[in-house]
Amino acid sequence: MELVPGFGLLLQGLAATMTAPTFDSLITIMTGWVFAPRRTVTRMILAVGPAASKHYSSYHRLFSAARWSLDAVGLAVFDLIVPWCGDTVFVAIDDTLARKRGLKMFGTGMHHDPLLSSRGKKIMNWGHSWVVLGVIVELPFRPGHYFCLPILFRLYLNKQSAKKQRRMHRTRPELAVEMLDVLCKHRQNRRFHAIADSAYGGASVLAHLPANCDLTSRLVKDARLYEAPPARKPGQRGRSRVRGAKLPTPRQMLAKRCRRVTLDVYGRNETARLADVCARVFAVPDRPLRVVAVEALKGGRGQEVFYSTCHEATAEQVIRWYASRWSMEVTNHDSKQSLGFQEPQAWSRRAVERTAPMAMLLYSLVVLWFAREGHRRYQPLDCPWYVSKTDPSFADMLATLRRESVRQRILSLRLTGPGSRKIKQLLENAAALAA
């Protein structure tokens, strides 16, 4: 089985990051990843069929022993995404849990499981915790919708796992800053804007941002806010003030008179009370922020506080920027649901750090292929009971790639004579149902 030439052209953008034999194995694995019912290396080999001409151990060594860099592959994917980005490249940062079993697998530990937890009870689960950085883009085939395309990854080790593996413990925010440094140094002439939840909005990230990167995140409602420090007076003795006069907290801002606005976020219009101010937080007093306090008038969202290092932005812009972060949650869901992000059974360090991220890199490549040419070949299913769906999901994109690849293979068969056209049509229909 082979993928369509358009997708193969995208994969050629990764060829410079590894040797030719390794790249040949990568193409085979990527093809198997698209068609395999379960995403293990052996199932991928079976899905490819005769095209997997090497010994099966060669494909296992692609992840466990071959000399190539996951960061270099991710940056190569980023270079494919750049034409779809604007002047400022927006990126999302988040962590996700891949549930695993087994005590001898590298990097596993007990981590918070957000899917099983509730506000009143936190559930822990055994597995890998991945910190992911993805590029947020709006693609022409679906205007008004944001896609998050993952490119960089770091495996988080809790303190017990780090001690067991004799590695230095690093927090998730530290890993996020490392990935931002890698990306910002790769394109120093571009402006980046990171969007993250409150776990990555503290001083450990805000105080260590690269020079060409901004940040939009959340604040606590009782955050200490200050004005800019006053200018030093002639003849003043002692050190200069670090912070200016203290400002009301976000909770106190909402207790006063606020303006009422209608926000177009998360695909719907919401009416809310809003107050904003240009301020500085206690931990990073040298960086001005646009702080926005919002209270929804309907629904259960309640009071929320956001901030952005783009202090000249409007409050509505800050809220829209943060709302685009939801595309990362959709990416995490689709990568697990459709591409088996949690399914690889690698156990050694290199194999663990390389195998699962390949699912999310494949997610980015599939969306890029669909934006380039796949949307022209998309055939929505005839579902009269589901009339509200108007746009393709990622499952539809993946099914289109499978169907077009199988169709290309069927049309290459030299079937002649009476009934050959009906046979090809029958095979295409069967492939469409299987996809």
Side-chain angles (χ1 to χ4, degrees):
M1 186 61 65
E2 296 179 357
L3 296 173
V4 292
F7 195 85
L9 188 62
L10 275 176
L11 289 178
Q12 288 299 320
L14 316 181
T17 62
M18 56 190 71
T19 63
T22 302
F23 181 66
D24 182 64
S25 299
L26 178 67
I27 292 178
T28 302
I29 288 296
M30 287 292 200
T31 304
W33 210 305
V34 170
F35 288 99
R38 189 163 182 262
R39 272 66 179 204
T40 59
V41 175
T42 50
R43 290 297 183 96
M44 296 173 198
I45 296 172
L46 291 175
V48 174
S53 57
K54 298 182 181 179
H55 192 270
Y56 65 87
S57 62
S58 300
Y59 302 107
H60 286 280
R61 289 197 299 271
L62 170 66
F63 297 109
S64 63
R67 298 183 64 181
W68 57 277
S69 169
L70 183 64
D71 282 356
V73 175
L75 293 176
V77 175
F78 173 72
D79 292 337
L80 298 175
I81 302 173
V82 164
W84 305 99
C85 300
D87 296 333
T88 300
V89 181
F90 287 86
V91 298
I93 302 173
D94 198 10
D95 54 87
T96 185
L97 175 67
R99 300 183 187 92
K100 296 290 182 180
R101 293 182 179 179
L103 298 177
K104 295 186 178 181
M105 188 177 296
F106 175 84
T108 51
M110 296 298 292
H111 301 283
H112 176 250
D113 193 332
L115 295 182
L116 299 180
S117 302
S118 62
R119 292 184 179 180
K121 186 176 182 180
K122 294 184 179 181
I123 304 296
M124 306 291 285
N125 221 324
W126 186 261
H128 289 140
S129 179
W130 290 95
V131 183
V132 184
L133 184 148
V135 182
I136 301 176
V137 292
E138 183 180 357
L139 299 174
F141 72 90
R142 194 175 175 183
H145 180 83
Y146 293 102
F147 293 90
C148 184
L149 308 182
I151 56 171
L152 295 176
F153 313 87
R154 291 293 184 272
L155 179 63
Y156 168 72
L157 304 180
N158 59 21
K159 292 182 179 180
Q160 293 80 6
S161 298
K163 183 178 180 180
K164 178 181 177 181
Q165 302 295 335
R166 297 180 180 179
R167 297 168 69 90
M168 181 180 65
H169 175 255
R170 304 177 67 193
T171 63
R172 293 184 180 92
E174 289 175 343
L175 297 176
V177 170
E178 180 183 336
M179 291 190 291
L180 285 174
D181 285 335
V182 170
L183 181 61
C184 293
K185 289 178 181 178
H186 178 64
R187 289 293 183 98
Q188 297 183 8
N189 59 331
R190 297 299 294 260
R191 192 72 192 173
F192 294 89
H193 192 135
I195 304 172
D197 59 16
S198 57
Y200 302 93
S204 56
V205 176
L206 181 60
H208 299 90
L209 287 173
N212 58 335
C213 184
D214 289 301
L215 175 66
T216 295
S217 186
R218 299 185 63 161
L219 270 179
V220 293
K221 292 189 283 289
D222 58 349
R224 291 176 290 177
L225 305 179
Y226 297 87
E227 291 181 349
R232 187 177 179 87
K233 299 178 181 179
Q236 179 180 341
R237 306 176 71 177
R239 68 178 180 88
S240 301
R241 290 187 61 178
V242 178
R243 303 171 187 86
K246 191 172 184 180
L247 296 172
T249 65
R251 181 181 282 112
Q252 293 170 342
M253 292 166 56
L254 290 173
K256 300 178 181 179
R257 188 181 182 90
C258 301
R259 59 190 177 99
R260 184 171 296 191
V261 296
T262 300
L263 303 173
D264 182 14
V265 291
Y266 304 112
R268 61 183 182 270
N269 293 326
E270 292 186 357
T271 305
R273 298 173 63 245
L274 183 148
D276 67 295
V277 66
C278 182
R280 301 163 188 244
V281 294
F282 181 87
V284 190
D286 58 339
R287 189 142 200 178
L289 308 174
R290 174 60 58 181
V291 179
V292 183
V294 185
E295 182 177 14
L297 297 180
K298 293 183 180 180
R301 302 190 66 89
Q303 296 182 351
E304 297 178 297
V305 186
F306 309 96
Y307 77 85
S308 177
T309 55
C310 297
H311 61 278
E312 297 179 352
T314 64
E316 289 81 357
Q317 281 180 318
V318 174
I319 295 174
R320 283 197 297 269
W321 288 338
Y322 187 82
S324 65
R325 191 200 70 85
W326 183 254
S327 57
M328 172 61 86
E329 305 290 351
V330 177
T331 296
N332 292 338
H333 171 270
D334 290 341
S335 298
K336 295 176 183 179
Q337 191 80 9
S338 301
L339 292 176
F341 177 75
Q342 302 181 108
E343 295 178 8
Q345 301 299 308
W347 62 270
S348 64
R349 182 182 66 85
R350 273 192 175 183
V352 167
E353 292 177 343
R354 289 173 169 181
T355 310
M358 198 59 66
M360 287 198 173
L361 290 175
L362 181 59
Y363 175 94
S364 301
L365 293 172
V366 171
V367 174
L368 287 176
W369 171 82
F370 194 85
R372 283 187 174 186
E373 60 179 69
H375 65 279
R376 303 188 190 94
R377 305 176 185 179
Y378 169 58
Q379 299 176 4
L381 296 177
D382 185 14
C383 302
W385 58 88
Y386 194 11
V387 295
S388 61
K389 180 179 178 179
T390 58
D391 299 306
S393 63
F394 178 75
D396 297 325
M397 301 179 196
L398 188 60
T400 302
L401 176 59
R402 290 170 178 164
R403 183 172 60 250
E404 290 302 316
S405 299
V406 174
R407 182 174 181 272
Q408 172 187 272
R409 178 61 178 166
I410 292 172
L411 294 179
S412 67
L413 299 176
R414 297 182 179 180
L415 297 177
T416 58
S420 60
R421 183 177 179 182
K422 291 185 178 181
I423 293 174
K424 289 184 178 180
Q425 188 63 45
L426 178 64
L427 292 174
E428 287 186 27
N429 292 339
L433 292 174

